Amino acid sequence: MTDSLGFDTLAIHAGTAPDPATGARQVPIYQTTAYVFRDADHAAKLFNLQEVGYIYSRLTNPTVSALANRVCALEGGAGAICCSSGHAAQIMALFPLMGPGLNIVASSRLYGGTITQFSQTIKRFGWSAKFVDTDDLLAVEHAIDANTRAIFCETIANPGGYISDLDALARIADQAGIPLIVDNTTATPYLCKPIEHGATLVVHSATKYLTGNGTVTGGVVVDSGKFDWSASDKFPSLSQPEPAYHGLAFHPALGSMAFTFHSIAVGLRDLGMTMNPQGAHYTLMGIETLSLRMQRHVENAKIVADWLEQDPRVEFVTYAGLKSSPYIKRAEKIVPKGAGALFTFAVKGGYEACVKLVDSLKLFSHVANLGDTRSLIIHPASTTHRQLEEDAQIRAGAAPNVVRVSIGIEDVKDIIADLDQALTLATA
Ligand SMILES: *Cc1c(COP(=O)(O)O)cnc(C)c1O
């Protein structure tokens, strides 16, 4: 039925029905750890994955499943799992694909925390990432070797507002027989559905626009269900008997749901990066208004970016929705409804002026977050990207003279007035 429904209808209804026990219209918060088995036979069937149901909330929970199903419907996937954070979702997306000695090819333009996760922490698992400029398609092709198991990029790359050419990257991934994984946090499925552009896996930090009001830490992985995990010997956890789950061969047994079931039965079971039902409830509430918020976010962002670009106190603005942006053509293809609400601008006066700007704003909040109803600002070079060397900061679009804004849904005249008074103080 959901196939024929529009995006705004799915955002409100997908994944949920009135509670069968009570008729409650809103999704109840099932604050329970475990679920009573009907009998021993029922329990055995659940553990064998012969019947779908609830066992223990580290694996699945009705409130969390409602959210997974809703995001899955919005992204046009076959299955989804929720995780405790966006960073957890990234590990969960990689987990069934990776093993010691294997690598991913990742865009050099990623959320700062992801660059750290991929360049440092995943090495402890024996995994590694090769960072390349994903605008250089030849470099992407050359970086892929026999041990590469995925290409990873962001739809609208944080912090610089770069747009990834998802279709081109998906073609390269296809040719190499590996999945394209897209972090769609900053676009949300309202602005872009990466699966329609050839992505296999979509990851989200639900912390950001999906929830939309800065109340939750959460993540989601959506699987397109279209990748043939058995086409090569690259993905034995999915195509071969899985020793971590009594020898079940997930892809032969479960087809398009292989990745999702592996992620629940092995990933969540053993890594435990589970979303809690209360968090899932807040994100479900947030998604009900996703379209309306995103419309206002992109409308305000465009007006503010235009205003900043005209301002003599500003050196440049990187918003992909600007006519001057080298990404404007690609933005029209990948994010036709708007280039998001996250961008950077450079302040004349460099590092010092940026710090002063951040300290002088009154309406904007100085926080390490994005995708809130409120307008937010951060100076990446002194915060999120401070662990990176200066040349890596510049490559990531976070040079010392650059601030990142996440434009909220307040009255746009108030957002501009706040930037105006703070720029005056910062560049005096
Ligand atoms: C915030 C963010 C993450 C990490 O998500 P958390 O929920 O903070 O773990 C990953 N990718 C992008 C693009 C983000 O903005």
Side-chain angles (χ1 to χ4, degrees):
M1 180 196 87
T2 53
D3 282 355
S4 59
L5 297 175
F7 186 90
D8 296 356
T9 307
L10 291 175
I12 294 166
H13 292 279
T16 69
D19 180 48
T22 62
R25 188 63 197 85
Q26 196 43 279
V27 184
I29 303 173
Y30 287 93
Q31 197 70 47
T32 184
T33 308
Y35 307 83
V36 179
F37 306 122
R38 288 195 302 271
D39 51 36
D41 183 49
H42 177 223
K45 285 199 171 108
L46 292 177
F47 278 94
N48 280 342
L49 302 182
Q50 286 164 330
E51 189 178 323
V52 177
Y54 299 100
I55 297 173
Y56 187 70
S57 283
R58 173 156 30 81
L59 309 173
T60 49
N61 167 284
T63 315
V64 177
S65 296
L67 174 61
N69 292 337
R70 184 170 298 175
V71 178
C72 183
L74 294 179
E75 288 286 6
I81 45 148
C82 295
C83 313
S84 50
S85 70
H87 268 5
Q90 293 170 184
I91 296 296
M92 288 290 295
L94 294 176
F95 178 67
L97 320 181
M98 299 294 280
L102 302 179
N103 69 70
I104 58 170
V105 169
S107 170
S108 54
R109 300 189 187 103
L110 295 174
Y111 175 72
T114 304
I115 292 183
T116 309
Q117 186 187 55
F118 286 175
S119 61
Q120 303 297 329
T121 300
I122 64 171
K123 282 194 206 153
R124 310 270 182 101
F125 311 145
W127 311 348
S128 62
K130 302 188 199 181
F131 291 98
V132 295
D133 175 353
T134 44
D135 280 348
D136 183 348
L137 298 176
L138 227 55
V140 176
E141 278 178 32
H142 287 156
I144 295 172
D145 63 30
N147 292 327
T148 303
R149 291 295 178 269
I151 299 175
F152 188 101
C153 71
E154 295 175 0
T155 310
I156 304 174
N158 186 341
Y162 303 97
I163 310 292
S164 296
D165 189 346
L166 301 182
D167 305 84
L169 293 170
R171 273 194 298 277
I172 294 174
D174 259 4
Q175 274 157 21
I178 57 176
L180 171 66
I181 306 176
V182 178
D183 181 338
N184 200 33
T185 299
T186 53
T188 82
Y190 175 77
L191 295 176
C192 176
K193 295 186 199 172
I195 290 172
E196 291 179 355
H197 296 272
T200 293
L201 300 173
V202 178
V203 297
H204 276 283
S205 168
T207 314
K208 314 292 171 50
Y209 293 104
L210 291 184
T211 307
N213 50 34
T215 48
V216 162
T217 305
V220 188
V221 185
V222 182
D223 174 29
S224 72
K226 292 178 185 155
F227 193 85
D228 183 359
W229 305 107
S230 306
S232 72
D233 59 2
K234 285 185 196 296
F235 304 102
S237 289
L238 295 165
S239 63
Q240 302 297 315
E242 169 61 276
Y245 206 82
H246 52 74
L248 180 68
F250 280 81
H251 190 232
L254 297 158
S256 65
M257 292 303 285
F259 180 94
T260 304
F261 275 95
H262 189 281
S263 295
I264 295 167
V266 183
L268 288 176
R269 185 196 64 186
D270 295 347
L271 299 176
M273 299 171 167
T274 307
M275 180 183 275
N276 67 79
Q278 180 110 22
H281 167 77
Y282 287 129
T283 305
L284 280 164
M285 297 301 95
I287 290 175
E288 292 188 357
T289 58
L290 180 66
S291 294
L292 295 173
R293 285 186 287 106
M294 292 313 290
Q295 280 163 26
R296 178 65 75 85
H297 275 298
V298 295
E299 184 184 311
N300 280 0
K302 176 74 168 58
I303 295 170
V304 173
D306 276 331
W307 179 81
L308 283 167
E309 194 176 40
Q310 304 303 318
D311 196 288
R313 296 164 295 187
V314 171
E315 251 170 75
F316 61 83
V317 182
T318 63
Y319 189 54
L322 290 172
K323 283 197 185 68
S324 59
S325 169
Y327 291 96
I328 181 79
K329 276 270 163 294
R330 197 179 289 169
E332 285 163 5
K333 189 175 77 169
I334 305 285
V335 282
K337 285 188 261 184
L342 181 78
F343 60 88
T344 57
F345 63 94
V347 185
K348 286 188 183 153
Y351 189 100
E352 288 310 317
C354 288
V355 170
K356 224 163 162 189
L357 175 80
V358 165
D359 282 341
S360 307
L361 286 161
K362 297 192 172 90
L363 186 66
F364 276 76
S365 304
H366 179 200
V367 296
N369 191 17
L370 60 96
D372 198 322
T373 49
R374 294 155 195 80
S375 290
L376 313 175
I377 190 162
I378 197 154
H379 179 218
S382 62
T383 55
T384 52
H385 287 59
R386 81 176 287 136
Q387 268 112 12
L388 302 181
E389 304 291 336
E390 187 169 328
D391 59 326
Q393 288 177 346
I394 293 167
R395 272 203 310 280
N401 63 338
V402 159
V403 290
R404 183 193 79 190
V405 286
S406 170
I407 300 298
I409 59 175
E410 303 100 331
D411 288 280
V412 73
K413 71 168 175 48
D414 296 331
I415 297 173
I416 289 177
D418 195 33
L419 285 168
D420 190 27
Q421 64 81 21
L423 277 168
T424 300
L425 293 172
T427 57

